Amino acid sequence: MAVDGTDENNLEQGIYTKDAARLGKNGRRRRSLSDLSSSQKCGAWASHFQRLFVSFIGADWIYLMLLGFIMAVLSFTVDIFVDLFTEAHSWIYNLADSHVVLQYLAWVTYSLFLMCFAAGFANMMSIQATGSGIPETKTSLRGVMLQEYFTFRTLVSKVISLTCVLGSELPVGKEGPFVHVGSVCAALLCRFMSLFSGIYKNKARNEEMLTVGCAVGISCCFAAPIGGALFSLEVTSMFFVARNYWRGFLSATFGAFIFRLLPVWNRQEETLTALYATKYRLDFPFDLYELPIFAAMGILCGFGGAFFVYLYGKISLFVKKQKAKNSFLMKNCFLYSALVSVLISTLTFPPGFGQFMGGRLTKKDSLISFFDNRTWSNHGIVADFDNDDHLATWKHPQANVFIILSVFIIMKFWMSALSITLPIPCGSFVPIFVIGAAFGRLVGEGLATLFPDGFNVDGHIYHIVPGAYAVIGAAALAAGVTHTISTGVIMMELTGQINYTLPILISVILANMVSQSLQPSIYDTAIRIKKLPYLPMLSWGHREKYNIYVEDFMKRDVRYITLNSTYRDIIKILRSGNLKTLPLVKSAESMLLLGSVERVQLLGLLTQRMQHLREDNASTMPVRYKVRFQVRHGEYECVYMVKPLKFCIMMWPVDEEEITSVYDSGLNLKKFFCSRPEIEAMEDDSDAEDDTILLEIEEWEEQQLVEQVTFSSCKIDPAPFQLVEHTSLHKTHTMFSVLNLDYAYVTSIGRLIGAVSLKELREAIEGCTPADGVRLRPVLSTFRDRGVRGTMTETIALHQLLEHQISR
Amino acid sequence: MAVDGTDENNLEQGIYTKDAARLGKNGRRRRSLSDLSSSQKCGAWASHFQRLFVSFIGADWIYLMLLGFIMAVLSFTVDIFVDLFTEAHSWIYNLADSHVVLQYLAWVTYSLFLMCFAAGFANMMSIQATGSGIPETKTSLRGVMLQEYFTFRTLVSKVISLTCVLGSELPVGKEGPFVHVGSVCAALLCRFMSLFSGIYKNKARNEEMLTVGCAVGISCCFAAPIGGALFSLEVTSMFFVARNYWRGFLSATFGAFIFRLLPVWNRQEETLTALYATKYRLDFPFDLYELPIFAAMGILCGFGGAFFVYLYGKISLFVKKQKAKNSFLMKNCFLYSALVSVLISTLTFPPGFGQFMGGRLTKKDSLISFFDNRTWSNHGIVADFDNDDHLATWKHPQANVFIILSVFIIMKFWMSALSITLPIPCGSFVPIFVIGAAFGRLVGEGLATLFPDGFNVDGHIYHIVPGAYAVIGAAALAAGVTHTISTGVIMMELTGQINYTLPILISVILANMVSQSLQPSIYDTAIRIKKLPYLPMLSWGHREKYNIYVEDFMKRDVRYITLNSTYRDIIKILRSGNLKTLPLVKSAESMLLLGSVERVQLLGLLTQRMQHLREDNASTMPVRYKVRFQVRHGEYECVYMVKPLKFCIMMWPVDEEEITSVYDSGLNLKKFFCSRPEIEAMEDDSDAEDDTILLEIEEWEEQQLVEQVTFSSCKIDPAPFQLVEHTSLHKTHTMFSVLNLDYAYVTSIGRLIGAVSLKELREAIEGCTPADGVRLRPVLSTFRDRGVRGTMTETIALHQLLEHQISR
C-alpha cells in the first residue's frame, strides 16, 4: 500500500489521464445519444417527455433517496447474514458439547475458516477492500481521488468479506467499512445516473456526493441520521459547504428510515425504534453530584482513546516492518490473519479463559447487556435477572462482576487494536464502543455498590443507573479515538434517549480535548502509516516555521503552449505529460499568462484540424491506410488513417484520447481495433505498408505539422487560478484547502514562472515538519490559532522586495 | 433602517476607519503595557507568571466558557423577570375581578405600559436593538461588519426592552434577540479579553466568535446545545469551517449546562432535565401507518411557513410605506406599537374573545399543554384532567377542542406576523413553535377521535399520542419559516425525547423542500426588506445570465502609492479616502502591482519620519508650537507640534490615527486635547500664532514633504488577493464567499487596473437580478446546481482574447 514519491506522481498523472479520457468519452457519448434521438424524430412530445424524464432523474432527491435505499438494504442484508453466521457458530459449538476439545476445535475452526475466506477474498478480488476505508475516503475527498478505491469490484469484495469477518466474531466493526461502501455506492450511482443526466458528469459534484455516501454509511449502521451526517462532516471535511449538509441529512434520514423499516417488514420488530433502545427513567436522569464523575470518565476515556491510537500505530508499524523484512509473511496474507484469529478465538473460548470475559457474547449482545436498565452488582433486586441469558454471562461463581468487566476491557482493548491492523475490511468504531460501554458499566456498577441507596432528593429515592454510565463511556471513548463530537449524537440516536445530552457532551468534549493533545485521530494515524497522499493541516506552533514562499517550492519546469505553437508542439506536449490543463502564454519570450486550455480541448483541436485537412486535401494526401470494420450491431463504418499514425481521422465514435494513448504506448492501431469486441470483421488495404510510401507520408505530415495552431474554436479559461510568487506557504495551503484546488499557476507580474499542484504543496509542508513524518494537527488545536484570515497578511520588509525588483 | 447606495458607502468607509483606529490604538496600548512591565523589572519569575497568565487568558476555552456562562446567566435572568412580569399581570388581572371593564382595563393597560416602555427604551437607547437581530448578525458575519449593532449600549437596550416585551405577553419570541445578544456578548468579550491577550485583536477570529455567540444564544434559550450549534451554522454561515463547529459546541454545551443548573440552585427544579420534558412511551413511539400523516404534516407546515413569511413581508412593506408617507407615524414610534398591543390584548382578553383561543395562557404554558402526554378529545380517560389549570383552558362549554385550537392557530398566525414587524426586540421562532404545536395537537386530537381504540399490534394496544404530533408540527413549521433542519434537533433537545427522530426529520425535510421552493427564509426576507448590505447567493437559472467579468464591474479609480511616492502624496492619499489597505505599484506609468500596505503602516511611516526629523533637525525647524499638559494621574508630559498641523510629534500615547482624524474633520488640535478627560491643565506657547511664523512653517514643511518615502521599515503584504480581469462574476462571487474576502485587486498581466470590494460585487449581482430586489436563493436549490468548482471553468472563445491582446 506504500506509495512513495515517484509512484505517487504516476498515480496522480494516471488519474489525470483517466479523468480526461472519461470526460472525452462522456462528451462523445452524449453527442451520439442526441444524434440518435434527433435521427429518430418521434416528434416534439417524445423529446418533451425525454426532457422531463432527464430532469426528473437529474433531480438530486431521486439520487439521494436511491443512495439511502441501496445502503439501507446493503446494511440490513449484511446484518442478516452476520446473524446467520453467528447462529451457525453457536449451533456448531453447542453440537460439539460432547467433549471440550471437540468444542474448542469447532469454536476456533469456524472463525478461522471465515477469517481466511474473508482475507483471501478481499486480497484476491480487490486489495483496496481491506482496512477501514475512512482514511482513503478522506484522502479522496481532499482532492487526490484514489480511483481504484471506488470500483464495483472493491464494493463487492468489501461487502462480502466484511460479512465474513463480522460473522467470525473478531472484535472489529462495521462502521468504517460502511463509510467506504457508502462512498463507493455514491460514486457508482453517480456513474450510473450520468447515463441519464448530464449533471452527474461533474467531477466536483461527484466528490461532494462522496461525503453524502459517508453520512449514509454511518446512518445505516447505527440508524443515526443526525449523528451520521455530522460524523461524515467531521471526519471527512476540513471545510463544510452548506449544500453537503442538506444532502447528507436527506440521504441519511431516508437511509436510516429504510434500515429500520426493513426489520418491521421482516416481522423482526414492531415499529421503528432506536437500534439499542434503552428505557432509563425520564423524570430524574441523573443527579448533579454525578456530573464530576461523568467529567472524570471523559478525561479517562480521552487518555484511553489516545493510548488505543498509540497501540494501533505501534502494531501497524511493527507488522509493516516485519512484512518488509520477511517475504514469507508478505506472500501469505492468510497467515497473519489466521494466527490472530486463532489467538483471539482461543482466548475467548467460553469454557476456557472466555468465561472470565464474556466470551460467548457477540458485540451486539455485549452492548445490549451493558446498556441494560438493571443494576448487576446487587442481584437481589431484579427478579428475572437469571432468566436473561446475556446478563447471566457476567455472573461468575468464582469472580465478581468487577473482575470480569476489567478483564473484558483489558483483553478487548489490545484485541481490537490488533484486529484492525489485519488485511481485512474492519472498522474500529464498534469495538471501541463496546470497550467504552464496559468501562462505563464498570464505573456505574462501582458507584451503585458504593451508594446502594441512591440519592434522596426531596423525599424521592433515585438509584444510580449504571446503564447510563455505559452509554456515556461508549460515547467518550469513541470520541477519544475518532476525535469527533458527533459520537455523542450517534450515541443518543442509538439508544433512543436524549436525557443524557449534557453529561454525554461534557464527557465527549473533555475526551476530545485530552486525546487531541496527545495523539492524532485513528484515521489520521492510518493516513500517516499508509502514506496516503493527504494534504495535512499545518502543524501547530509559530507561523514563522513556515517562512517559505510559493516560489520556493513550486515546479519551475512547466509545460505550456503559446499563441505561436504549431500542431507539432501540441502533439509533443500532449505526449510528454498527462496534465489535465495546460497554460497558454503569449510567447515563449514574454511568458505572459493568457489563460489555460484543457487537454480535451487540445485533442479536439487536433481532430478538427484533421477533419479540415481531409475535406480540403483529400486529393493531395499521399496515401491512405484504409480499414473497414464490421461493427457488431450491423452498422458498417470506415476508418481512414494516415500511417505512421500521428493523426487519425475517423467516423467511428472511438474517442481521440483513446487513440492517442494507443500511439503513446507504441501499440499498433490495427491490433487495437481488432481487440475491440464490437468489431467482428476487418479488412485492410495492405499496399500502404511499403517503405517509400511511408517516407512520403512522413514528409507530407511534416508539412502539415509546422503550421500554427488557430485557437479560434478552442475554449480557453481566461482566469485560471493564479498565485503571486511571494504568496506564503500558509496562504497557499489555506487557498488550496478552502477552494479545494488541484493546481495553481504562479505568476510574477503577469509572467508564468511556475506551477504548484497538491503534490508540491504536500512536499513543502512535509519538508517543514519533523522527520518522523507528517505531524498531523488535532482539530481542537485550532483553538489556539489566530484564525484563517490571519494567515493571509504575511508581510516582508520592502527592501527585500526592492532588491528583488532591481535584480530582475 | 433603510440604507441606500451612498449611505452604505459611508457606512463601510466609516467602519474601515474605525477598524484602523482600533488597530492603531491596540497596537499602541500593547506597546505601552510591555514598556511598563519592562520598566518595573520584577525579575524573571514575574514575567514568567505574566506570560503564563496571558496564555491562560488567551486559551480559547476560558473565553468560550465565560461566554457560555454570561449568556446562561443573562437568559436565566430574563426568564425570571419575564415570569415576575407575567405573575404580576395575572395578579393585577385577578385583583380587578370585581367588574369586567376594570378587568379589561387592567389586562390591556399592563401590556400597553410594558410595550410602550420597551419600544421607547429600545428606540431611545439604541435603535439597533429593535427587531430580531439575526439578519444583522448574518450580514455582519458575511463580511460587512455593522459595528453599531455590537455595542454595549445595544446589549443593554436589547436585554431590558426584550424582557418588557416578553412580559407584555405579545406573541413574540426570545430566540432571535438572543442570537443577537449572544453575538454582541461575544464581540464585547473579545474586546475585554484583548486587554489581556493579543490574539483577541484579530478581526477574523473575532468574526468567527460571533458565530459561537449565535450558537450560545440559541443554546441558552432552549437548553439545546447541539441544535443551537447547528442552527447557528445553518442560519449564519454559507461555508462552515471546522473550527467554528468545535467552538460552538463547547460554548453552547457549557451555556446550556449553566442555564439548566441555575434553576436547580434556585430550588426551582430537582436536576438537569429538558426545558419542556415530555414523557411519551419509549417502547412503541409510533406506528408505521402514522408516518404518511407526519409527512403530510410536514408538507402542510411547509406551505404554512411560506405563507407566514409572505405575510410578514407584506406587513413589513406596508408599514414601511406608511411610515415613509406619514411623518406623524414616523415620529411617534410608540403609536404603532401601542395600537398593535391594544388590538392584540383586546382580542386575547380572557373573558372576551380570548376564551375561544386560550387567551390566558402564556407561550410557555401553551407549549407545555400542547406537548402534554394526555389526549384531550376523550376526556373521560384521564381522571386528573380538570385539576390541571392549563389543560382546562382548552375545554370550553360552548366550543369543542377542535374549534378552539383552530381559532388559536388562525389568530396567533396573523398576530405573530404582525408583532414581529414592530420596532421592538422580537423573535419569530417561539411563536412559530407555538402555532406549529397547536396545529400538530389539532391533527393528533383529530386522529385520536377517529381512532379512539388506537392500534393493535401483536396483541398490545397502543393509543395515539397527540403530544407527539404537537412536537412534530412545531418542528416542521419552524423549519418551514427558518429554512433549517436543526429545528428538528432543537425540538428533540427541548422535549428530551429522541424517539421521534425519523418522523421529525422527515417532516422537517419536507417542510423545507416545500417552503424553500415558495419563499426565501424569514431572515433573508428581513435582509431584503431592511436593505442590509448582504452579499446574496446568485439566484438560480442559467449561468449565462451572469455573463459579465470582473472588469465590467470593478472600480477603476483605485488610489495607490508608488515606489516614488513622496510623503506629501501619502498624506494626500490618507486624507482622500479611508481604505484599510492601499496597493503599492512600481510606478504610475507601469502600474505593476508589488503588494499592498496597510493604512496603519503608512501612518507609522509618517510618525517615524517626524521623529527622525525632530532628532536630526531640531535646530533647523523654524518654530514649534508647544503645549504642556497636566495629565490626571500626576504624570506630566509634553506635546511638541508643528502648526498648521500636518505632522505631529508626540511623546504622549494618543494614537496617530486619532490625531489625523481630528485634522480631517477640521477641528482644532488644542480644542481636541482640552476635551480629553485625562488632561487637567494645559498651557500653550501663544507666540506661535503669528502669521509670518505660520508661513515660515509652511515653507519648511513643503521642503520636508517633497522627499521620497523610504519604505524600508514598512511591512508590505507581497501577495494581496488578485483577480485577473477576465474572472467571471460567478467565480468572483465564489472566491469572495469562500475566502470571506473584503476586497481584491484586479490585474491585467501584472498591472493594477482596478479593485473590487464587496460593494461592487453586490451591485453587480443585484444588477443581474430582477427589478424587484435581490432574488435570494433557497439553500435546497443547490440540489439543482453543478457544484462550486463547476463555476470555475468558465470559458470564452479565443478570438475574443486575441482581439483583446491586439487592441492593447
Side-chain angles (χ1 to χ4, degrees), chain A residues 29-194:
Chain A
R29 193 169 294 153
R30 189 170 44 197
R31 246 178 291 144
S32 64
L33 250 177
S34 65
D35 287 351
L36 208 75
S37 73
S38 68
S39 70
Q40 287 174 335
K41 290 183 182 173
C42 299
W45 272 104
S47 93
H48 182 71
F49 181 78
Q50 195 192 355
R51 257 206 309 278
L52 260 182
F53 177 74
V54 165
S55 80
F56 177 78
I57 286 289
D60 259 359
W61 59 273
I62 298 279
Y63 172 90
L64 294 170
M65 287 192 157
L66 254 179
L67 181 62
F69 183 79
I70 292 170
M71 285 302 295
V73 172
L74 261 183
S75 179
F76 182 68
T77 317
V78 168
D79 280 0
I80 291 237
F81 275 96
V82 170
D83 282 350
L84 278 181
F85 279 133
T86 330
E87 271 171 40
H89 195 182
S90 195
W91 179 75
I92 290 174
Y93 172 77
N94 288 333
L95 205 71
D97 64 350
S98 55
H99 197 276
V100 76
V101 175
L102 210 65
Q103 213 169 12
Y104 171 74
L105 281 178
W107 179 262
V108 171
T109 322
Y110 187 86
S111 294
L112 185 63
F113 170 75
L114 278 176
M115 266 296 292
C116 285
F117 175 77
F121 190 79
N123 280 282
M124 280 192 285
M125 184 95 175
S126 160
I127 188 77
Q128 284 80 23
T130 59
S132 145
I134 292 184
E136 287 82 6
T137 312
K138 198 171 173 175
T139 308
S140 298
L141 278 167
R142 180 48 208 93
V144 186
M145 189 71 188
L146 308 170
Q147 287 286 0
E148 68 279 17
Y149 277 87
F150 298 93
T151 59
F152 187 69
R153 221 181 146 84
T154 308
L155 178 70
V156 172
S157 162
K158 191 135 203 167
V159 171
I160 291 180
S161 48
L162 175 69
T163 312
C164 296
V165 169
L166 293 175
S168 82
E169 288 166 39
L170 204 74
V172 295
K174 175 182 154 194
E175 122 292 346
F178 252 76
V179 166
H180 187 189
V181 167
S183 46
V184 178
C185 276
L188 292 177
L189 200 56
C190 274
R191 225 174 289 166
F192 173 72
M193 297 290 265
S194 71

Side-chain angles (χ1 to χ4, degrees), chain A residues 605-624:
Chain A
L605 266 189
L606 289 183
T607 319
Q608 250 181 3
R609 166 77 178 156
M610 282 320 298
Q611 269 169 347
H612 183 73
L613 281 181
R614 191 167 62 101
E615 284 157 17
D616 288 9
N617 315 319
S619 53
T620 65
M621 234 192 278
V623 83
R624 277 179 247 159

Side-chain angles (χ1 to χ4, degrees), chain B residues 766-783:
Chain B
E766 281 167 7
C768 290
T769 43
D772 60 329
V774 187
R775 187 130 168 229
L776 289 151
R777 149 199 245 199
V779 187
L780 269 180
S781 77
T782 52
F783 277 139

Side-chain angles (χ1 to χ4, degrees), chain A residues 60-61 64 199 202 204-205 207 225-226 230 234 238-243 245-247 249-250 253 257 261 264 270-273 278-279 282-286 288 291 457-458 460 462 483 485 489 492-493 496-499 501-502 505 509 512-513 516 563 586 592 594 711-712 714-719 721-722 724 726-727 731 735 738 740 742 749-750 779-780 782-783 785-786 788-790 792 794-796 798-799 801-802 805, chain B residues 60-61 64 199 202 204-205 207 225-226 230 234 238-243 245-247 249-250 253 257 261 264 270-273 278-279 282-286 288 291 457-458 462 483 485 489 492-493 496-499 501-502 505 509 512-513 516 563 584 586 592 594 711-712 714-719 721-722 724 726-727 731 735 738 740 742 749-750 779-780 782-783 785-786 788-790 792 794-796 798-799 802 805:
Chain A
D60 259 359
W61 59 273
L64 294 170
I199 58 166
N202 185 302
R205 185 196 161 89
E207 271 176 25
I226 303 167
L230 295 183
E234 279 192 274
M238 276 164 78
F239 297 88
F240 314 161
V241 183
R243 78 191 65 210
Y245 181 85
W246 288 87
R247 285 182 178 151
F249 264 98
L250 179 60
T253 303
F257 170 62
L261 195 65
V264 181
E270 281 186 346
T271 187
L272 311 182
T273 51
T278 56
K279 288 175 194 173
L282 294 173
D283 49 348
F284 191 88
F286 57 96
L288 273 191
L291 275 179
V457 181
D458 297 339
H460 293 278
Y462 296 110
H483 292 194
I485 284 183
V489 183
M492 290 176 220
E493 290 185 275
Q497 282 208 318
I498 205 172
N499 269 330
T501 312
L502 283 175
L505 280 182
I509 288 174
N512 263 300
M513 280 181 145
Q516 292 196 8
L563 283 185
K586 202 174 177 187
L592 288 173
L594 299 180
F711 287 101
S712 56
C714 173
K715 284 198 169 181
I716 288 170
D717 179 3
F721 201 82
Q722 299 178 26
V724 190
H726 282 299
T727 312
K731 190 169 175 177
M735 289 203 183
V738 175
N740 214 9
D742 284 334
I749 43 170
V779 186
L780 269 180
T782 51
F783 277 139
D785 295 348
R786 299 192 176 202
V788 181
R789 260 209 282 177
M792 296 224 181
E794 291 87 7
T795 48
I796 55 156
L798 184 76
H799 55 88
L801 194 68
L802 285 173
Q805 289 298 321
Chain B
D60 258 1
W61 59 273
L64 295 171
I199 59 165
N202 184 302
R205 184 194 161 89
E207 272 177 24
I226 303 169
L230 295 184
E234 280 193 273
M238 274 165 80
F239 296 89
F240 313 162
V241 183
R243 78 192 66 210
Y245 181 86
W246 288 87
R247 286 181 177 152
F249 264 98
L250 178 61
T253 304
F257 170 63
L261 194 65
V264 181
E270 282 187 346
T271 185
L272 311 182
T273 52
T278 56
K279 288 175 194 171
L282 293 174
D283 48 349
F284 190 90
F286 56 93
L288 273 190
L291 275 177
V457 181
D458 296 338
Y462 296 109
H483 292 195
I485 283 183
V489 183
M492 291 176 219
E493 291 185 275
Q497 282 208 318
I498 204 172
N499 269 328
T501 312
L502 283 175
L505 280 182
I509 288 174
N512 263 299
M513 281 182 144
Q516 292 197 8
L563 284 183
L584 172 67
K586 201 173 176 187
L592 287 174
L594 299 180
F711 286 101
S712 56
C714 172
K715 284 199 170 179
I716 289 169
D717 179 3
F721 200 83
Q722 298 179 25
V724 191
H726 281 300
T727 312
K731 190 168 174 176
M735 291 203 182
V738 176
N740 216 10
D742 283 335
I749 44 172
V779 187
L780 269 180
T782 52
F783 277 139
D785 294 350
R786 300 193 176 201
V788 181
R789 261 207 283 175
M792 295 222 183
E794 291 87 7
T795 48
I796 56 157
L798 184 75
H799 55 88
L802 286 172
Q805 289 297 323

Side-chain angles (χ1 to χ4, degrees), chain A residues 174-365:
Chain A
K174 175 182 154 194
E175 122 292 346
F178 252 76
V179 166
H180 187 189
V181 167
S183 46
V184 178
C185 276
L188 292 177
L189 200 56
C190 274
R191 225 174 289 166
F192 173 72
M193 297 290 265
S194 71
L195 294 179
F196 303 105
S197 169
I199 58 166
Y200 288 97
K201 280 158 199 158
N202 185 302
K203 190 178 152 243
R205 185 196 161 89
N206 292 359
E207 271 176 25
E208 280 171 19
M209 287 305 184
L210 289 191
T211 314
V212 176
C214 300
V216 179
I218 290 281
S219 167
C220 290
C221 275
F222 298 129
I226 303 167
L230 295 183
F231 187 81
S232 80
L233 288 180
E234 279 192 274
V235 164
T236 60
S237 313
M238 276 164 78
F239 297 88
F240 314 161
V241 183
R243 78 191 65 210
N244 285 349
Y245 181 85
W246 288 87
R247 285 182 178 151
F249 264 98
L250 179 60
S251 197
T253 303
F254 194 71
F257 170 62
I258 297 290
F259 178 64
R260 296 308 292 152
L261 195 65
L262 288 173
V264 181
W265 279 347
N266 203 24
R267 299 256 161 228
Q268 291 171 322
E269 284 180 35
E270 281 186 346
T271 187
L272 311 182
T273 51
L275 205 58
Y276 294 96
T278 56
K279 288 175 194 173
Y280 309 138
R281 59 169 182 259
L282 294 173
D283 49 348
F284 191 88
F286 57 96
D287 196 72
L288 273 191
Y289 302 111
E290 291 178 80
L291 275 179
I293 302 166
F294 293 140
M297 274 173 67
I299 291 169
L300 276 178
C301 284
F303 282 108
F307 183 62
F308 185 84
V309 174
Y310 174 79
L311 199 64
Y312 162 72
K314 283 285 158 202
I315 297 175
S316 293
L317 284 176
F318 177 77
V319 171
K320 212 175 164 183
K321 212 181 276 172
Q322 289 304 315
K323 266 192 187 166
K325 270 192 219 157
N326 196 330
S327 62
F328 177 75
L329 249 178
M330 205 175 76
K331 276 177 197 151
N332 294 277
C333 57
F334 298 106
L335 196 67
Y336 177 49
S337 310
L339 273 175
V340 172
S341 171
V342 169
L343 175 69
I344 290 179
S345 51
T346 303
L347 284 171
T348 55
F349 181 53
F353 188 70
Q355 63 184 299
F356 298 104
M357 55 174 287
R360 276 211 75 164
L361 295 185
T362 62
K363 288 182 291 292
K364 202 174 159 185
D365 296 337

Side-chain angles (χ1 to χ4, degrees), chain B residues 567 606-624 640-642 647 649 696-697 699-707:
Chain B
Y567 284 98
L606 290 183
T607 321
Q608 249 181 2
R609 167 78 179 155
M610 282 323 296
Q611 267 168 347
H612 182 73
L613 281 180
R614 190 168 60 105
E615 283 157 18
D616 289 9
N617 315 317
S619 54
T620 64
M621 235 194 277
V623 82
R624 279 182 245 156
Y640 299 87
M641 61 193 91
V642 183
F647 289 152
I649 313 161
E696 218 175 305
I697 297 166
E699 252 169 54
W700 183 82
E701 275 192 358
E702 290 299 316
Q703 287 166 12
Q704 309 306 322
L705 281 175
V706 292
E707 227 170 280

Side-chain angles (χ1 to χ4, degrees), chain A residues 31 104 258 288 308 462 464 475 516 581 603 667 689 707 722 732 766 778 806:
Chain A
R31 246 178 291 144
Y104 171 74
I258 297 290
L288 273 191
F308 185 84
Y462 296 110
I464 282 172
Q516 292 196 8
T581 55
L603 288 167
L667 274 178
E689 299 286 347
E707 227 169 279
Q722 299 178 26
T732 313
E766 282 167 7
I806 291 158

